[in-house]
Amino acid sequence: MYWKYVIRRIVSVFFTYVIIIFIYSALFNTVMEKTIRAQIGEQVKQEMMVQSHIMSAAELKRYQEERLAFHYKRYHLDEPFLSRVFWRAISTLKFDFGNSTIIRSAAGERKVLTIVGEKIPRTILLFTLATAIDIIIGVLLGMKKAQKPGKFLDQSTSIMTMVVYGMPTWWVAMILIMLFVYKIAIFPSGGLHSVPPPQGFAYVLDLLYHLALPLLTLVLIGFWGRAYLTRNIVLSTLQEDYIMAARARGLSERQVLYGHTLRSAAPPIATMSILSLLFSVGGGLIFEGIFSWPGMGNLYWVAIQQNDIPVLMGNLAVTTLFYLSGLVLLDLIYGVLDPRIKVGGKA
Amino acid sequence: MKLKDLRETLRDFWGEFRKVRYGMVGLVMFGLFLLIVILEPVLIPFPETGRRWRDITYWEDNPKNAAPVWVNWFTRKDYTPQAVLDKPEISERKAANTQMVEAVFTYNYKYDLPPIDLLLRATGKGLLNLAVHLERPDGLSIELTKKSIRLSGEAPVRLSLDKEASGAVGDFLKTYEDPDVLRGVSIFTVKPVEVFFARAEPGILRNPVPLKGEYRIKLTCVAVGSGAFLKEPALTVAGRVFGLMGTDASKRDIWSGVIAGTKWALLIGLLTSAVAVIIGVFYGVTSAYFGGAVDLVMMRIYEVFQSIPLLPVMIVVSAVFKPSIWTMILMMCAFFWVGSVRTVRSMGLQIKEEIYVEAAHALGASRGRIIFKHMLPQVIPYAFASMALQVPVSIVYEASVSLLGLGDATIVTWGQILHDAMQGGAVLQGIWWWIIPPGLFIALMGMTFAFVGFAMDTILNPKLRTR
């Protein structure tokens, strides 16, 4: 039963992905084609340079036209608009994002997929780690808040939640960098590791050292909201009858809270955690740029500055795929945590 | 009828809302922001900030990267603040073909670190023979510069004494500074204005002691030719500290920029969230009411929209199409409506099953009547709460896109100021007055609406109310 549910979700999300890619293709087709035409033009010019001493001018001109037509046909650029959009979407779905115009991967390659691919693990490292710490602190604080609602701890932390609600994380990052990197040099100014990178275990330490400030910033702003939501979820669960029954049986408050309440509050807490992880990846685009953390977010900054359209498009498609995978993951976890979903009952 | 229902719902809601203290704090802050928008012309010293934010000539008299004036309260040595002297004592004499103007500016210098420049501005025409003298409190009088300018029509005159007085400063130093020191110094590296505000004694170059007191700057002008004149002379003392929030690397007044950005932030936040939530509420209620196939299709569309990561899409769209602020608002509306759909739909599903809706049905009420009269009014408090909570999100989104340098270049927003700060190396150089104010305003605005929204939220979810 569960697997049926899983497959249904995956298929449905896959179709959503296809639809979104088609929308992107329609939106950005014109600018992508401009870049590709320029790239083809350059390539043909280089080919002509090689041929220039064995061909006459007329031959060269014909050769150029032939080559251009060949490449246009290869990229379906000679077809009507709708069919061009279709082919653009198909190649995007096949992860064929073409070549970058300026940006190169660490190994010097120009394939967009390679460039984006090498950024993915870094983004995942930063944001999953931050979210994991966030969840631990947030959920624990939220439970504490729910135990004594309206008391000092609850009220003060709730106010803090509201204070940081509209605070851009990247602005806090700017201030912390100014303070702890340039005024008081505790942390490195950014990047993934020192240059040159140390070897072996020292590399891990170095990585953690570079990870520290971005992580700290994310956690510092992140856990308040989570604590508040956890508090609300736990608080409404605490008013259920079975909690009263558990208390009446003489169970300790600890057992009631961590045994009974947390179990049934887990699905919504998981939802909001993963959703906020997904949203934080969105917000992380900006955040990574501030720390020059070379992940997918930073790639947007670089691609915009260099006006590298293929990289921008490839990055967007991969980001979207990630986002959707997160949504699927969410459903799967939900299915595990909430047995009603597995058997197809109504949640 | 419909209006009366709505008013009743709102009145009940307001009665509850008044009891939540932080909600009221939020409302007061909101009022303050509105006040800032209304009083903007009074609050900012540069009235054309909004239009000429990127026009460097508008800001050229200001110092670069100057800290706010109030840093003087915390530093041991006082920095000279910016000052504009536009009411000199003017004496005029006219002869047949010449006009002679003498303007004397009195400047009371009482700081430890001298101004960086003295800027003379006036409007003139014809051949102007200008001379500028400085009379110091210790009785010394220095001729700073002598210059002839020919203007064919009426045109502005601008003299930077820091540049013009490089000859005068050489003579002045030769008289008072130790020749051994002077030999090791290139005269081109000397800042004339800094020298003239120090005690005339050996060491004036290396360890200047400020000479405090009343300085008199005398501008003499002989305008030759028929119709030649010089009028409206003014002197700007370009300081080291400036205004309430200092200046940035392009000499712009950050206070003016931040205040001028307030109206845009409010507009972006309120307009986007209002439109988005209204769409979302209608969508949710309609979907719930019709159910069946309509619901299924509408939920499918909703899911597609919900699955698009908005910020990356917005960034890429902005990078490719360079949209105006209105397009950006439209784009945010097109995606933010999904935020309220799910909750509204589940509320709608519940309301639909109520007996009174069934009764209205039985009485032959139309679909529109049931949706508008029986379903929507009940959802309105929730709509207000999600509107309030949506406002900061919209503002932060716009700021994020602007931070990447993709904002609308015809206006000034907080995100754009922060973008310039990033570009200008404010983080690296520790120019905190460039980074903190715009971000703080974003945070305060977010806080305002969070207070209001969270307060509404607690009213709407009685389960969460604390005993």
Side-chain angles (χ1 to χ4, degrees), chain B residues 208-225:
Chain B
V209 181
L211 177 70
K212 302 182 185 183
E214 210 172 70
Y215 286 75
R216 286 156 64 81
I217 297 115
K218 194 169 80 185
L219 168 72
T220 340
C221 172
V222 183
V224 187

mmCIF file with all atom_site columns, all heavy atoms in Angstrom, chain B residues 208-225:
data_model
loop_
_atom_site.group_PDB
_atom_site.id
_atom_site.type_symbol
_atom_site.label_atom_id
_atom_site.label_alt_id
_atom_site.label_comp_id
_atom_site.label_asym_id
_atom_site.label_entity_id
_atom_site.label_seq_id
_atom_site.pdbx_PDB_ins_code
_atom_site.Cartn_x
_atom_site.Cartn_y
_atom_site.Cartn_z
_atom_site.occupancy
_atom_site.B_iso_or_equiv
_atom_site.pdbx_formal_charge
_atom_site.auth_seq_id
_atom_site.auth_comp_id
_atom_site.auth_asym_id
_atom_site.auth_atom_id
_atom_site.pdbx_PDB_model_num
ATOM 1   N N   . PRO B 1 208 ? 49.385 67.974 13.480  1.00 0.00 ? 208 PRO B N   1
ATOM 2   C CA  . PRO B 1 208 ? 48.701 69.271 13.557  1.00 0.00 ? 208 PRO B CA  1
ATOM 3   C C   . PRO B 1 208 ? 47.851 69.389 14.818  1.00 0.00 ? 208 PRO B C   1
ATOM 4   O O   . PRO B 1 208 ? 47.219 68.426 15.250  1.00 0.00 ? 208 PRO B O   1
ATOM 5   C CB  . PRO B 1 208 ? 47.828 69.284 12.302  1.00 0.00 ? 208 PRO B CB  1
ATOM 6   C CG  . PRO B 1 208 ? 47.649 67.861 11.950  1.00 0.00 ? 208 PRO B CG  1
ATOM 7   C CD  . PRO B 1 208 ? 48.850 67.121 12.428  1.00 0.00 ? 208 PRO B CD  1
ATOM 8   N N   . VAL B 1 209 ? 47.922 70.580 15.419  1.00 0.00 ? 209 VAL B N   1
ATOM 9   C CA  . VAL B 1 209 ? 47.058 70.876 16.559  1.00 0.00 ? 209 VAL B CA  1
ATOM 10  C C   . VAL B 1 209 ? 45.938 71.757 16.028  1.00 0.00 ? 209 VAL B C   1
ATOM 11  O O   . VAL B 1 209 ? 46.206 72.773 15.395  1.00 0.00 ? 209 VAL B O   1
ATOM 12  C CB  . VAL B 1 209 ? 47.839 71.624 17.658  1.00 0.00 ? 209 VAL B CB  1
ATOM 13  C CG1 . VAL B 1 209 ? 46.938 71.908 18.857  1.00 0.00 ? 209 VAL B CG1 1
ATOM 14  C CG2 . VAL B 1 209 ? 49.055 70.827 18.056  1.00 0.00 ? 209 VAL B CG2 1
ATOM 15  N N   . PRO B 1 210 ? 44.683 71.345 16.245  1.00 0.00 ? 210 PRO B N   1
ATOM 16  C CA  . PRO B 1 210 ? 43.590 72.140 15.669  1.00 0.00 ? 210 PRO B CA  1
ATOM 17  C C   . PRO B 1 210 ? 43.535 73.536 16.257  1.00 0.00 ? 210 PRO B C   1
ATOM 18  O O   . PRO B 1 210 ? 43.745 73.729 17.457  1.00 0.00 ? 210 PRO B O   1
ATOM 19  C CB  . PRO B 1 210 ? 42.346 71.341 16.033  1.00 0.00 ? 210 PRO B CB  1
ATOM 20  C CG  . PRO B 1 210 ? 42.746 70.497 17.180  1.00 0.00 ? 210 PRO B CG  1
ATOM 21  C CD  . PRO B 1 210 ? 44.194 70.183 16.991  1.00 0.00 ? 210 PRO B CD  1
ATOM 22  N N   . LEU B 1 211 ? 43.306 74.500 15.417  1.00 0.00 ? 211 LEU B N   1
ATOM 23  C CA  . LEU B 1 211 ? 43.145 75.886 15.854  1.00 0.00 ? 211 LEU B CA  1
ATOM 24  C C   . LEU B 1 211 ? 41.654 76.187 15.838  1.00 0.00 ? 211 LEU B C   1
ATOM 25  O O   . LEU B 1 211 ? 41.049 76.340 14.789  1.00 0.00 ? 211 LEU B O   1
ATOM 26  C CB  . LEU B 1 211 ? 43.892 76.815 14.902  1.00 0.00 ? 211 LEU B CB  1
ATOM 27  C CG  . LEU B 1 211 ? 43.751 78.308 15.187  1.00 0.00 ? 211 LEU B CG  1
ATOM 28  C CD1 . LEU B 1 211 ? 44.481 78.675 16.470  1.00 0.00 ? 211 LEU B CD1 1
ATOM 29  C CD2 . LEU B 1 211 ? 44.282 79.118 14.026  1.00 0.00 ? 211 LEU B CD2 1
ATOM 30  N N   . LYS B 1 212 ? 41.078 76.229 17.043  1.00 0.00 ? 212 LYS B N   1
ATOM 31  C CA  . LYS B 1 212 ? 39.628 76.419 17.108  1.00 0.00 ? 212 LYS B CA  1
ATOM 32  C C   . LYS B 1 212 ? 39.303 77.898 17.160  1.00 0.00 ? 212 LYS B C   1
ATOM 33  O O   . LYS B 1 212 ? 40.105 78.702 17.620  1.00 0.00 ? 212 LYS B O   1
ATOM 34  C CB  . LYS B 1 212 ? 39.066 75.701 18.330  1.00 0.00 ? 212 LYS B CB  1
ATOM 35  C CG  . LYS B 1 212 ? 39.375 74.216 18.307  1.00 0.00 ? 212 LYS B CG  1
ATOM 36  C CD  . LYS B 1 212 ? 38.788 73.485 19.466  1.00 0.00 ? 212 LYS B CD  1
ATOM 37  C CE  . LYS B 1 212 ? 39.254 72.035 19.420  1.00 0.00 ? 212 LYS B CE  1
ATOM 38  N NZ  . LYS B 1 212 ? 38.695 71.213 20.470  1.00 0.00 ? 212 LYS B NZ  1
ATOM 39  N N   . GLY B 1 213 ? 38.113 78.237 16.744  1.00 0.00 ? 213 GLY B N   1
ATOM 40  C CA  . GLY B 1 213 ? 37.689 79.622 16.791  1.00 0.00 ? 213 GLY B CA  1
ATOM 41  C C   . GLY B 1 213 ? 36.945 80.022 15.544  1.00 0.00 ? 213 GLY B C   1
ATOM 42  O O   . GLY B 1 213 ? 36.503 79.169 14.768  1.00 0.00 ? 213 GLY B O   1
ATOM 43  N N   . GLU B 1 214 ? 36.836 81.336 15.352  1.00 0.00 ? 214 GLU B N   1
ATOM 44  C CA  . GLU B 1 214 ? 36.020 81.817 14.257  1.00 0.00 ? 214 GLU B CA  1
ATOM 45  C C   . GLU B 1 214 ? 36.856 82.086 13.017  1.00 0.00 ? 214 GLU B C   1
ATOM 46  O O   . GLU B 1 214 ? 37.789 82.884 13.050  1.00 0.00 ? 214 GLU B O   1
ATOM 47  C CB  . GLU B 1 214 ? 35.313 83.105 14.685  1.00 0.00 ? 214 GLU B CB  1
ATOM 48  C CG  . GLU B 1 214 ? 33.988 83.283 13.994  1.00 0.00 ? 214 GLU B CG  1
ATOM 49  C CD  . GLU B 1 214 ? 33.230 84.462 14.583  1.00 0.00 ? 214 GLU B CD  1
ATOM 50  O OE1 . GLU B 1 214 ? 33.654 85.599 14.358  1.00 0.00 ? 214 GLU B OE1 1
ATOM 51  O OE2 . GLU B 1 214 ? 32.226 84.233 15.264  1.00 0.00 ? 214 GLU B OE2 1
ATOM 52  N N   . TYR B 1 215 ? 36.548 81.403 11.961  1.00 0.00 ? 215 TYR B N   1
ATOM 53  C CA  . TYR B 1 215 ? 37.224 81.608 10.684  1.00 0.00 ? 215 TYR B CA  1
ATOM 54  C C   . TYR B 1 215 ? 36.328 82.471 9.800   1.00 0.00 ? 215 TYR B C   1
ATOM 55  O O   . TYR B 1 215 ? 35.114 82.346 9.851   1.00 0.00 ? 215 TYR B O   1
ATOM 56  C CB  . TYR B 1 215 ? 37.474 80.276 9.988   1.00 0.00 ? 215 TYR B CB  1
ATOM 57  C CG  . TYR B 1 215 ? 38.587 79.455 10.600  1.00 0.00 ? 215 TYR B CG  1
ATOM 58  C CD1 . TYR B 1 215 ? 38.406 78.778 11.785  1.00 0.00 ? 215 TYR B CD1 1
ATOM 59  C CD2 . TYR B 1 215 ? 39.816 79.363 9.962   1.00 0.00 ? 215 TYR B CD2 1
ATOM 60  C CE1 . TYR B 1 215 ? 39.416 78.008 12.335  1.00 0.00 ? 215 TYR B CE1 1
ATOM 61  C CE2 . TYR B 1 215 ? 40.840 78.605 10.508  1.00 0.00 ? 215 TYR B CE2 1
ATOM 62  C CZ  . TYR B 1 215 ? 40.641 77.932 11.692  1.00 0.00 ? 215 TYR B CZ  1
ATOM 63  O OH  . TYR B 1 215 ? 41.638 77.194 12.234  1.00 0.00 ? 215 TYR B OH  1
ATOM 64  N N   . ARG B 1 216 ? 36.992 83.323 9.015   1.00 0.00 ? 216 ARG B N   1
ATOM 65  C CA  . ARG B 1 216 ? 36.218 84.116 8.061   1.00 0.00 ? 216 ARG B CA  1
ATOM 66  C C   . ARG B 1 216 ? 36.736 83.835 6.663   1.00 0.00 ? 216 ARG B C   1
ATOM 67  O O   . ARG B 1 216 ? 37.932 83.961 6.399   1.00 0.00 ? 216 ARG B O   1
ATOM 68  C CB  . ARG B 1 216 ? 36.332 85.607 8.372   1.00 0.00 ? 216 ARG B CB  1
ATOM 69  C CG  . ARG B 1 216 ? 35.535 86.025 9.606   1.00 0.00 ? 216 ARG B CG  1
ATOM 70  C CD  . ARG B 1 216 ? 36.098 87.290 10.205  1.00 0.00 ? 216 ARG B CD  1
ATOM 71  N NE  . ARG B 1 216 ? 35.981 88.424 9.285   1.00 0.00 ? 216 ARG B NE  1
ATOM 72  C CZ  . ARG B 1 216 ? 34.864 89.130 9.134   1.00 0.00 ? 216 ARG B CZ  1
ATOM 73  N NH1 . ARG B 1 216 ? 33.777 88.815 9.814   1.00 0.00 ? 216 ARG B NH1 1
ATOM 74  N NH2 . ARG B 1 216 ? 34.838 90.158 8.323   1.00 0.00 ? 216 ARG B NH2 1
ATOM 75  N N   . ILE B 1 217 ? 35.851 83.376 5.806   1.00 0.00 ? 217 ILE B N   1
ATOM 76  C CA  . ILE B 1 217 ? 36.245 83.096 4.427   1.00 0.00 ? 217 ILE B CA  1
ATOM 77  C C   . ILE B 1 217 ? 35.655 84.208 3.563   1.00 0.00 ? 217 ILE B C   1
ATOM 78  O O   . ILE B 1 217 ? 34.438 84.391 3.542   1.00 0.00 ? 217 ILE B O   1
ATOM 79  C CB  . ILE B 1 217 ? 35.750 81.722 3.955   1.00 0.00 ? 217 ILE B CB  1
ATOM 80  C CG1 . ILE B 1 217 ? 36.396 80.633 4.811   1.00 0.00 ? 217 ILE B CG1 1
ATOM 81  C CG2 . ILE B 1 217 ? 36.096 81.475 2.492   1.00 0.00 ? 217 ILE B CG2 1
ATOM 82  C CD1 . ILE B 1 217 ? 35.444 79.877 5.641   1.00 0.00 ? 217 ILE B CD1 1
ATOM 83  N N   . LYS B 1 218 ? 36.559 84.956 2.920   1.00 0.00 ? 218 LYS B N   1
ATOM 84  C CA  . LYS B 1 218 ? 36.108 86.122 2.169   1.00 0.00 ? 218 LYS B CA  1
ATOM 85  C C   . LYS B 1 218 ? 36.238 85.860 0.682   1.00 0.00 ? 218 LYS B C   1
ATOM 86  O O   . LYS B 1 218 ? 37.323 85.550 0.187   1.00 0.00 ? 218 LYS B O   1
ATOM 87  C CB  . LYS B 1 218 ? 36.939 87.343 2.570   1.00 0.00 ? 218 LYS B CB  1
ATOM 88  C CG  . LYS B 1 218 ? 36.339 88.653 2.114   1.00 0.00 ? 218 LYS B CG  1
ATOM 89  C CD  . LYS B 1 218 ? 37.041 89.825 2.767   1.00 0.00 ? 218 LYS B CD  1
ATOM 90  C CE  . LYS B 1 218 ? 38.339 90.117 2.035   1.00 0.00 ? 218 LYS B CE  1
ATOM 91  N NZ  . LYS B 1 218 ? 39.143 91.167 2.691   1.00 0.00 ? 218 LYS B NZ  1
ATOM 92  N N   . LEU B 1 219 ? 35.120 85.969 -0.028  1.00 0.00 ? 219 LEU B N   1
ATOM 93  C CA  . LEU B 1 219 ? 35.125 85.798 -1.479  1.00 0.00 ? 219 LEU B CA  1
ATOM 94  C C   . LEU B 1 219 ? 34.967 87.169 -2.118  1.00 0.00 ? 219 LEU B C   1
ATOM 95  O O   . LEU B 1 219 ? 34.008 87.875 -1.839  1.00 0.00 ? 219 LEU B O   1
ATOM 96  C CB  . LEU B 1 219 ? 33.980 84.882 -1.895  1.00 0.00 ? 219 LEU B CB  1
ATOM 97  C CG  . LEU B 1 219 ? 33.659 84.831 -3.389  1.00 0.00 ? 219 LEU B CG  1
ATOM 98  C CD1 . LEU B 1 219 ? 34.731 84.078 -4.140  1.00 0.00 ? 219 LEU B CD1 1
ATOM 99  C CD2 . LEU B 1 219 ? 32.304 84.192 -3.626  1.00 0.00 ? 219 LEU B CD2 1
ATOM 100 N N   . THR B 1 220 ? 35.941 87.544 -2.922  1.00 0.00 ? 220 THR B N   1
ATOM 101 C CA  . THR B 1 220 ? 35.815 88.815 -3.640  1.00 0.00 ? 220 THR B CA  1
ATOM 102 C C   . THR B 1 220 ? 35.686 88.498 -5.115  1.00 0.00 ? 220 THR B C   1
ATOM 103 O O   . THR B 1 220 ? 36.425 87.660 -5.638  1.00 0.00 ? 220 THR B O   1
ATOM 104 C CB  . THR B 1 220 ? 37.068 89.689 -3.453  1.00 0.00 ? 220 THR B CB  1
ATOM 105 O OG1 . THR B 1 220 ? 37.756 89.230 -2.305  1.00 0.00 ? 220 THR B OG1 1
ATOM 106 C CG2 . THR B 1 220 ? 36.706 91.133 -3.320  1.00 0.00 ? 220 THR B CG2 1
ATOM 107 N N   . CYS B 1 221 ? 34.748 89.173 -5.744  1.00 0.00 ? 221 CYS B N   1
ATOM 108 C CA  . CYS B 1 221 ? 34.554 88.911 -7.165  1.00 0.00 ? 221 CYS B CA  1
ATOM 109 C C   . CYS B 1 221 ? 34.390 90.211 -7.915  1.00 0.00 ? 221 CYS B C   1
ATOM 110 O O   . CYS B 1 221 ? 33.597 91.069 -7.512  1.00 0.00 ? 221 CYS B O   1
ATOM 111 C CB  . CYS B 1 221 ? 33.320 88.037 -7.370  1.00 0.00 ? 221 CYS B CB  1
ATOM 112 S SG  . CYS B 1 221 ? 32.903 87.867 -9.104  1.00 0.00 ? 221 CYS B SG  1
ATOM 113 N N   . VAL B 1 222 ? 35.166 90.351 -8.966  1.00 0.00 ? 222 VAL B N   1
ATOM 114 C CA  . VAL B 1 222 ? 34.970 91.510 -9.845  1.00 0.00 ? 222 VAL B CA  1
ATOM 115 C C   . VAL B 1 222 ? 34.456 90.962 -11.162 1.00 0.00 ? 222 VAL B C   1
ATOM 116 O O   . VAL B 1 222 ? 35.157 90.226 -11.853 1.00 0.00 ? 222 VAL B O   1
ATOM 117 C CB  . VAL B 1 222 ? 36.287 92.271 -10.060 1.00 0.00 ? 222 VAL B CB  1
ATOM 118 C CG1 . VAL B 1 222 ? 36.032 93.504 -10.920 1.00 0.00 ? 222 VAL B CG1 1
ATOM 119 C CG2 . VAL B 1 222 ? 36.897 92.652 -8.731  1.00 0.00 ? 222 VAL B CG2 1
ATOM 120 N N   . ALA B 1 223 ? 33.195 91.288 -11.433 1.00 0.00 ? 223 ALA B N   1
ATOM 121 C CA  . ALA B 1 223 ? 32.586 90.807 -12.668 1.00 0.00 ? 223 ALA B CA  1
ATOM 122 C C   . ALA B 1 223 ? 32.697 91.902 -13.709 1.00 0.00 ? 223 ALA B C   1
ATOM 123 O O   . ALA B 1 223 ? 32.200 93.016 -13.511 1.00 0.00 ? 223 ALA B O   1
ATOM 124 C CB  . ALA B 1 223 ? 31.131 90.434 -12.436 1.00 0.00 ? 223 ALA B CB  1
ATOM 125 N N   . VAL B 1 224 ? 33.389 91.610 -14.803 1.00 0.00 ? 224 VAL B N   1
ATOM 126 C CA  . VAL B 1 224 ? 33.644 92.625 -15.818 1.00 0.00 ? 224 VAL B CA  1
ATOM 127 C C   . VAL B 1 224 ? 32.803 92.346 -17.054 1.00 0.00 ? 224 VAL B C   1
ATOM 128 O O   . VAL B 1 224 ? 32.643 91.195 -17.443 1.00 0.00 ? 224 VAL B O   1
ATOM 129 C CB  . VAL B 1 224 ? 35.138 92.636 -16.206 1.00 0.00 ? 224 VAL B CB  1
ATOM 130 C CG1 . VAL B 1 224 ? 35.434 93.810 -17.132 1.00 0.00 ? 224 VAL B CG1 1
ATOM 131 C CG2 . VAL B 1 224 ? 36.003 92.692 -14.963 1.00 0.00 ? 224 VAL B CG2 1
ATOM 132 N N   . GLY B 1 225 ? 32.296 93.396 -17.643 1.00 0.00 ? 225 GLY B N   1
ATOM 133 C CA  . GLY B 1 225 ? 31.514 93.254 -18.858 1.00 0.00 ? 225 GLY B CA  1
ATOM 134 C C   . GLY B 1 225 ? 30.068 93.636 -18.587 1.00 0.00 ? 225 GLY B C   1
ATOM 135 O O   . GLY B 1 225 ? 29.616 93.625 -17.435 1.00 0.00 ? 225 GLY B O   1
#
